[in-house]
Amino acid sequence: MATPKIYRNYINGEWVESETGETFENLNPADTSDVVGVFQRSGKEDVDKAVAAAKCAFQKWRLTPAPRRAEIIFRAAEILLERKEDYARDMTREMGKILNETRGDVQEAVDTGYYMAGEGRRSFGQSVPSELPSKFAMSVRMPVGACGMITP
């Protein structure tokens, strides 16, 4: 049996081990002798480092024009589409869903990427009458900041 791949955290442009130094095995639910991979058992320090890195990266990302950000997101969707079958098979192995469902899950990610890329070309706000004389009021869409999420 092959040695399972060890996955690390991607923080600040580098693949790093967790601060806890602990890992866990992710097993294929359809065949518990099949180790999908060994993953970092991350803790608060890892999250704090990831959030700090994201906040730092945001300072440059927010200055990138929306159409350019859209191109990057579009390319990410294209990569997902190119690798759809591989990702679907990995997801089935990891969580036990049937292959048609995981193909649908990957397609949803592709579609969301394309949709959000389109939003980068719709960078407009609103102008509205001001309640103050000789004042102009408008809204401008701009990135808000980094966020942290726990996803399946």
Side-chain angles (χ1 to χ4, degrees):
M1 185 174 280
T3 303
K5 182 174 178 179
I6 297 174
Y7 294 88
R8 292 176 173 78
N9 295 331
Y10 191 70
I11 299 176
N12 203 24
E14 296 182 54
W15 292 102
V16 297
E17 293 182 2
S18 69
E19 291 294 319
T20 67
E22 298 175 23
T23 60
F24 67 94
E25 291 182 341
N26 184 352
L27 305 178
N28 178 340
D31 175 6
T32 56
S33 68
D34 176 22
V35 179
V36 175
V38 176
F39 293 84
Q40 303 302 304
R41 189 175 303 280
S42 301
K44 183 181 181 320
E45 289 180 21
D46 300 295
V47 174
D48 290 344
K49 283 184 176 183
V51 170
K55 284 181 178 179
C56 185
F58 173 71
Q59 296 310 310
K60 182 176 178 185
W61 177 250
R62 72 181 180 82
L63 299 175
T64 304
R68 178 66 186 127
R69 292 194 310 262
E71 291 168 7
I72 293 166
I73 293 169
F74 185 88
R75 181 62 188 131
E78 290 283 279
I79 291 168
L80 283 171
L81 185 59
E82 290 166 11
R83 301 176 186 172
K84 179 178 177 177
E85 189 64 20
D86 292 337
Y87 289 146
R89 290 187 180 281
D90 287 346
M91 290 166 64
T92 290
R93 187 171 162 231
E94 180 185 16
M95 58 180 129
K97 276 186 169 185
I98 62 171
L99 194 52
N100 278 343
E101 279 191 39
T102 56
R103 284 180 182 132
D105 291 341
V106 177
Q107 187 61 52
E108 284 180 35
V110 170
D111 294 343
T112 300
Y114 288 152
Y115 176 81
M116 294 313 299
E119 289 299 292
R121 290 286 174 183
R122 287 185 276 282
S123 56
F124 49 82
Q126 296 177 327
S127 60
V128 296
S130 173
E131 59 188 48
L132 301 173
S134 303
K135 294 291 178 179
F136 177 73
M138 68 176 195
S139 63
V140 178
R141 294 175 69 175
M142 53 193 327
V144 179
C147 67
M149 296 177 267
I150 299 174
T151 63

